[in-house]
Amino acid sequence: MSGAILRLDDVHTDIAQYHILHGISMNVPEGGVHVLLGRNGAGKTTTLRTIMGLWRARKGAIVFRHHDITAMPTPDIARLGIAYVPENMGIFGGLTVEENMRLASTTGRFDDERLGRIFSLFPAIEKFWTSQASGLSGGQKQMLAISRAIVERREMILIDEPTKGLAPAIIRNMIGAFREIARETTILLVEQNFLFARSLGSGVAVIDDGRIVHSGGMAELAADEALQTRLLSLSLAEQH
Amino acid sequence: MNAALDRVGGVYALPVILAIIAFAAIGSASTWVTLTAAGLAMGMMIFLMASGLSLIFGLMDVLNFGHSAFVSFGAFIAASVLAALGVWLAADSVLLNLTALMAAIAAATAFGALAGWGFERVIVKPVYKDHLRQILITMGALIVAEQLLLAIWGGTPIAVARPAFLTGSIIIGDIAIESYRIFALLLGLVVYIAMYFALNRTRIGLLIRAGVENREMVESLGFRIDRLFIGVFMAGSALAAMGGAMWAGYQSLITPALGQELMIIVFIVVIIGGLGSIQGSLLGAILVGLMTNYVAFLFPKLALASNMLLMMAVLLWRPYGLKPAVKG
């Protein structure tokens, strides 16, 4: 598919003796928010970690722009412009908010204009700038994790379940922030929260048992309750 | 208990509390000052040895039982350099004395860094992420190192000369403090301050602190943590060798078993302080140094057991040590 920033082609990943991804094939077009939906244990996190090189694909190919990143070390993948926000947020609790942000900047310096935009998206980051990150609340940590990912312009951001355990007010704030971020970068978002995913996503892929079982436009899935029920199980359809 | 302790400075108040209790038990101010100075000096030397081990474990998740081999080699190399520079050492010039001592410490430290590089590449790298094999291979390396020491320097205890300006004691009233101990204390403080600034004011330091917490995330931010591993391993080994060099002068007589003897105490310090934490290592080392000296004076038969008891008490109270690095 032309215009794809990221392409996964028949990717298989094992974790220890377990075969988790059974041939994931997926194209992520450039720009906007693309959502990978699926129930717990379907292989969403494994897919992101395999893209990031944190777990190795046993078979298949992962191509980012024109680079085959299938066997590339994680730091090299990151340096191609892919940022990763893991499910546990990956915050360095012993470091201050500023140090967390500085570490994510390639030069160790900040672009003041960009930092100003981050502060307007997430005022808590400015408020707690010199505080130790371990003292932040769950929502503030998530804001820091996302701010860290956008401290520089990235080609793509992989975000793993950012709404997990967050209050509805914070989720609403995050929807606005993601829309803003998606103006300049491509986001691949892993989610279980269909309401959140629906409000952001332009494209969607549904993963089940390590395979992509559906891909297409988000509007199409949002409009088709029967499809939601079939693909995402009752628990997700109930949220709708 | 925690709230009361927090009001007086948290775990950092523990050495002060220990010193106050010891003062009450000892009864004599001059003896207490002498023992406290000895404890602080001993603590600083152990800190040099332990801080590297703590960082290596914290950042690399490597259990290096061979760490004390660097201490032994540092001690023997320093002893050899000091013996070779005996004329400078005995000269009536502080500058020559100091040059000889610094040459010995520098030689030991440089050896530690180089040997650390080889050790990491050959011994440790193949067993990353496998604690059992790490224990086995690094214990094996320690035994080999001890045999190498025997082959090179022999089994007879070697006398280590001290520079003329560091022999004797400084007398204030009826208080006597060995000059060498004051030097060891000052050197330890200088190294701690240098490490503190390196870890807190430089980008490499920031990376090390972040890597101790969450290596995977550091890699996801685009940094090659394996290169950091080598640097930290070399620095940790160099510090151990520096500690060994200082310990040699402190003991005046060294044998190839020195490393093994110190290994237990170094591990106790790392465990008490909390893995991956420089502040924790300093705190643990000072506590162990003070405890050893106070108990050796008050209850000589309990001297060896005291540090074990201290470790047990700390672990029952704080299972991750007094000041562990925050783990992501």
Side-chain angles (χ1 to χ4, degrees), chain B residues 22 25-28 31-32 35 290-301 303:
Chain B
I26 292 165
S28 153
T31 307
W32 178 81
L35 289 172
L290 290 176
M291 184 71 116
T292 304
N293 280 273
Y294 293 147
V295 174
F297 177 79
L298 291 166
F299 314 103
K301 288 182 180 170

Side-chain angles (χ1 to χ4, degrees), chain A residues 49 52 54 74-75 78-79 84 86 90-95 99 102-106 108 148, chain B residues 199-200 203 206-207 209-211 213-225 326 328:
Chain A
R49 289 178 62 87
M52 218 43 219
L54 294 166
T74 300
R79 284 183 178 271
Y84 175 51
I91 295 301
F92 304 113
L95 272 55
E99 286 173 332
R102 197 173 290 285
L103 207 54
S105 157
T106 314
R148 204 170 53 181
Chain B
L199 285 171
N200 290 283
R203 191 154 171 83
L206 194 59
L207 273 171
R209 285 160 61 213
E213 283 193 42
N214 189 337
R215 280 173 288 166
E216 203 173 84
M217 199 60 223
V218 169
E219 293 212 302
S220 298
L221 290 174
F223 299 100
R224 296 289 296 266
I225 202 128
V326 181

